[in-house]
Structures are given as structure tokens and as C-alpha cells.
Amino acid sequence: MAGGSDDSAGRRRTPPLPWTVRIQLAALALGHRQDGSVRRLLFYLGDLKSGASSRPDASGVRSADVTIDASHGLWARVFSPPPPPSDDPVPVVVYFHGGGFVLMSASSRPYDALCRRLCGELRAVVVSVNYRLAPDHRYPAAYDDGVAALRYLDAGDNALPVAMPVDLSSVFLAGDSAGGNIAHHVAQRWAASVSAAPARLRVAGAVMIQPFFGGEERTDAEVELDRVPPLTVATTDFYWKEFLPEGATRDHPAAHVCGGGVEIAEAFPPAMVAVGGFDLLKDWQARYVETLQGKGKPVKVVEYPDAVHGFHVFPELADSGKLVEEMKMFVQEHRSKNAA
């Protein structure tokens, strides 16, 4: 494993990382210009895709694509684990990929591999939502698509392509970066809606991996960790500009989810928030945790001091494996006791 590097003041600027990870992070950096904007052609060429496969992989996981809303081009990739030894229903994890609301998809190789891994390790059906991307589809399109995915599951009119019963009282939302932001807002919307109109589907928990939150203020972490791969302040500013309504600032409620004025529904589920020590977003994530705690909501924080933004998609990193184990314990703790 390669050692980390320090700046002129002796502060660590990058954590120790394997050379394979460093090369991939460097490639991501090349996909952005100095002003933070995306070199779209490079990203599209580098965003290799994986197809769904009905044949089980080495872990026994199968996948299939389903259409959620043809009018919006909304679909999801469904991963199913090997059938359990009993007929007990399995939990469901609805996953939202990262990419600053602008990049990647449910079929991007890193996310196909991650969701396969979660499916096998958590013994859960994973529904990876291919939500619409900005700037063609700005706020609130991604949130609308997340809620549409839950309504699709709640309706039950179209059976999921899995060979086992699923437990709709044990549905977990999960996502990383922008997907973590989506998981929060979809959890909030669903919690508010079920208070008015009860649903079969119960969101039992929300896992937010280095969620993408922000504001007009520059935090200490943003100043100190600017240009630590793969994120820069300029890049995050670009993503917000692409996603938020035209003319909106980063204090828009979609980005700024901390403080006493933030609404958290009474039925908002237990949360788990993963924070990386080398992630320039970590101060916003800490404030988000404080907001949930201030509202009396149960929240579990898992911290990885040497983790960069996006560490979880690199299975060769020990912290990635630790995160999957934490997610497994979180699902086991909060899934429906009747189903368990």
C-alpha cells in the first residue's frame, strides 16, 4: 500500500492508498476541468457498463432490469440473492448511485459491482434506481424518481424478478454522495406522505454513505481538503449549479439540510451516516447528524479516518469491507421483527 503525502506545513493531504485506487482516482480527476466542470466525453467513454444477468455469479446473485415509469425513462436494476433456506421474506435495499446528480447510472460497473456485493453480503434484494440526471432533469426530478420507485414497490402490481418473497415492512434506502442526498430526501418525503396516507411499504432505515450536502458557507474541511482526490470545491459547486433550480444558491433546502429550521418528519426512519476523514464534505455530514440528533431521531455514525470520498466502491480497501459489515448489522437491527 502506498504511503500518504503531506503539504508544506506537514499536514497529510492524501491517505495511504493502493496504486490501483490512486490510478482510478487520477482518472476521475482528469474528467473535470480546472473550473470543476465535467469533460463529458471523457466521462462517457470511461463510464463502462455492465448488463443485467439472469445467471448467478460466484456469490449466487442474479440481476434483471425493470421499468418503473416508461414515460420518464425510469428503470431499476434488481439484484436477488440465493434463495434462503426457509420461506421467510427477505429485506429490500433501494439504492441510489452517486455522481453529483450528473454522472453515472445503475448499470455503471462500479455500482453494478457494489450492489451485487451488498445483495450477497446483506442477503437482501437490492433495487438500484436509475434516476434521471441533471442538468436535463434538475431538482426535484431525482427525488421524484426515488419516491416513484417506492410507490412501484408498494403497489405490488408488478412482481419483482426474484425467486423469493420480499418483506415490504423492511425496506431500506441507501445511497452514496448525491445518492445519499437522495436517500435523505426520499425518506423525508415518504415519511411525510405515510402520515397522511398509510402504505404497505415501510422504510425501516436510511443509510447515507458520505452524503452530498452543502451550503454557501465554506467549511473548514472544504478549505483544508480541497483538491484531495476525487473531489474539489469547484467540482461540488459545479454539481450543485447543474442540479439546483436555475438561480438557486447552495443554501437551497435540497443542499442545506442542517440547522433548526430543517423539517424532519415524525416518521423519519433510523439513519446510518458514513463519514470519511479525507472527504471535504465531512463537516456538512457532521452538521446533518447533529440536526437529526437535535430532532430526536436515532442516527448511527460510522467514521473512517483514512477514507477518501467514494472509498466504498473499492473492494480492495479494508474500510470498504468494514462499511458493508456495518450496513449488514444496521439492516439486521432495524428490519421488521415479525419478518426476522
Side-chain angles (χ1 to χ4, degrees):
M1 179 175 286
S5 62
D6 297 354
D7 63 12
S8 58
R11 296 174 300 185
R12 289 178 64 196
R13 298 296 295 170
T14 58
L17 293 171
W19 66 269
T20 53
V21 175
R22 289 180 175 274
I23 287 176
Q24 293 178 76
L25 292 178
L28 286 173
L30 287 175
H32 290 89
R33 300 182 180 88
Q34 193 72 19
D35 63 359
S37 61
V38 174
R39 292 186 172 96
R40 295 186 185 275
L41 180 59
L42 279 181
F43 261 110
Y44 292 152
L45 292 175
D47 184 15
L48 302 178
K49 308 292 186 181
S50 292
S53 176
S54 60
R55 298 182 61 182
D57 62 16
S59 300
V61 174
R62 305 170 187 263
S63 61
D65 294 339
V66 297
T67 299
I68 294 175
D69 185 344
S71 66
H72 286 155
L74 177 61
W75 60 274
R77 179 157 295 175
V78 180
F79 300 83
S80 57
S86 67
D87 291 331
D88 292 340
V90 299
V92 179
V93 175
V94 178
Y95 197 88
F96 303 100
H97 66 81
F101 304 102
V102 175
L103 304 169
M104 311 298 280
S105 73
S107 61
S108 295
R109 284 189 182 177
Y111 286 105
D112 181 89
L114 174 65
C115 288
R116 284 182 176 276
R117 186 178 174 200
L118 293 177
C119 177
E121 294 289 337
L122 275 57
R123 296 296 176 182
V125 168
V126 176
V127 180
S128 182
V129 182
N130 197 67
Y131 58 87
R132 290 170 290 172
L133 299 177
D136 293 337
H137 304 283
R138 293 176 177 269
Y139 165 91
Y143 305 159
D144 292 344
D145 290 351
V147 173
L150 295 189
R151 287 177 178 157
Y152 174 87
L153 295 175
D154 184 57
D157 296 332
N158 300 293
L160 291 175
V162 298
M164 64 206 69
V166 297
D167 178 17
L168 288 182
S169 67
S170 297
V171 174
F172 292 81
L173 306 183
D176 65 286
S177 195
N181 177 296
I182 295 169
H184 162 78
H185 285 285
V186 172
Q188 169 65 12
R189 285 189 175 197
W190 192 258
S193 68
V194 296
S195 299
R200 289 190 308 159
L201 185 150
R202 167 180 168 265
V203 174
V207 178
M208 287 152 279
I209 305 167
Q210 299 177 295
F212 186 22
F213 301 132
E216 284 296 294
E217 174 193 348
R218 295 301 188 200
T219 67
D220 291 343
E222 286 176 311
V223 173
E224 179 185 356
L225 298 173
D226 188 18
R227 301 192 179 281
V228 171
L231 284 183
T232 68
V233 170
T235 299
T236 58
D237 285 356
F238 172 77
Y239 288 152
W240 286 126
K241 185 177 179 181
E242 294 284 277
F243 174 66
L244 295 175
E246 292 190 28
T249 72
R250 293 186 301 275
D251 286 334
H252 186 279
H256 198 71
V257 295
C258 57
V262 174
E263 288 189 20
I264 302 293
E266 184 66 27
F268 193 88
M272 172 179 150
V273 180
V275 181
F278 281 85
D279 182 4
L280 61 79
L281 299 174
K282 67 179 182 179
D283 286 351
W284 290 114
Q285 295 153 8
R287 294 183 188 184
Y288 172 67
V289 169
E290 291 172 357
T291 298
L292 290 183
Q293 292 172 334
K295 300 286 186 177
K297 302 303 177 184
V299 54
K300 177 180 182 179
V301 182
V302 288
E303 298 184 76
Y304 303 95
D306 285 336
V308 296
H309 192 80
F311 74 97
H312 56 285
V313 301
F314 300 105
E316 58 266 52
L317 297 179
D319 284 342
S320 179
K322 293 175 184 177
L323 174 63
V324 172
E325 283 300 313
E326 290 285 359
M327 292 180 67
K328 183 176 181 179
M329 290 189 289
F330 182 81
V331 168
Q332 291 174 342
E333 178 183 358
H334 294 288
R335 67 174 300 192
S336 169
K337 298 300 185 290
N338 291 333

